[in-house]
Amino acid sequence: MRAVFATVAIAALVSGCISRPSSGPVALDALLSFEDPALCNLSPETARFLLAMVKIDPNAVVDPDRHLRVGQIAAPAPLMQVFDKVEMTRHDGWTSFAVRTSGTMLGLPLYAIHQTYPEGGDPGEFSFEFAAPVAAVFSTLRKNGFPVEIDKDVSLGEPDGYERIVSLQESPDAPQRSLLTCGYR
């Protein structure tokens, strides 16, 4: 009887009648999260992840060619395969860093993580780019405590020399992607 069951099970597997377990997208919420979404305050794990993406030499602030360099991905070994390598691009007046990913955050498909730094040492900003339209991202972010409005900078608390903001907008590169940005103006 076991031999017959084994033969039937193998035949069903080969023919596709028995579904194979699928791995699906990797949830990155343990690595990428916020302690206080209402203020864009990152969890310690996320802060470490973002800090590791960029090597900053505080002694070379006046020289943007030496001040910022590509860092590394600081994630547990099982999550490393969902991240590409960190890319750096220099622009006139600022430097950007990005890493593509294939995981999810808050149940949303995450496309990339970005950081930008202006020359001169002013505060930078970070963005999570979701592979989902703005309306879907808006709903999920609001349910999770982010005070976002579509296409509008929302002020977060009293300015301390710079005004801290959060924004949600359609990605300029792709209309079916969205950017959640925390930064300053």
Side-chain angles (χ1 to χ4, degrees):
M1 186 57 126
R2 284 188 192 170
V4 171
F5 178 76
T7 303
V8 171
I10 290 171
L13 252 177
V14 170
S15 71
C17 293
I18 295 177
S19 63
R20 296 174 188 96
S22 64
S23 59
V26 175
L28 299 172
D29 297 296
L31 178 65
L32 303 175
S33 62
F34 288 78
E35 274 190 347
D36 186 353
L39 295 174
C40 265
N41 290 341
L42 298 168
S43 70
E45 297 80 12
T46 307
R48 277 190 295 276
F49 180 89
L50 292 176
L51 284 171
M53 276 180 63
V54 181
K55 289 184 185 177
I56 300 174
D57 180 354
N59 298 317
V61 162
V62 295
D63 184 352
D65 289 332
R66 292 190 347 224
H67 174 59
L68 301 169
R69 294 276 184 234
V70 171
Q72 62 186 4
I73 299 300
L79 299 180
M80 291 298 286
Q81 81 273 1
V82 302
F83 294 102
D84 289 347
K85 68 178 189 159
V86 178
E87 301 285 336
M88 179 180 77
T89 307
R90 294 201 192 279
H91 306 274
D92 186 26
W94 53 287
T95 304
S96 66
F97 296 84
V99 62
R100 290 276 315 271
T101 183
S102 59
T104 65
M105 182 177 162
L106 301 171
L108 296 165
L110 192 58
Y111 180 78
I113 301 165
H114 305 274
Q115 293 185 70
T116 59
Y117 291 87
E119 287 180 9
D122 285 341
E125 64 184 26
F126 59 88
S127 300
F128 293 97
E129 184 173 2
F130 297 98
V134 170
V137 173
F138 172 79
S139 175
T140 299
L141 292 178
R142 292 295 289 217
K143 286 177 189 171
N144 283 279
F146 291 88
V148 293
E149 297 295 334
I150 297 173
D151 294 330
K152 183 179 177 186
D153 291 347
V154 175
S155 182
L156 302 175
E158 290 297 315
D160 61 355
Y162 293 97
E163 183 181 7
R164 199 167 177 201
I165 58 102
V166 62
S167 67
L168 175 64
Q169 67 183 41
E170 186 176 274
S171 174
D173 299 331
Q176 290 302 310
R177 294 197 306 252
S178 307
L179 288 171
L180 167 67
T181 302
C182 296
Y184 295 87
R185 67 169 170 203

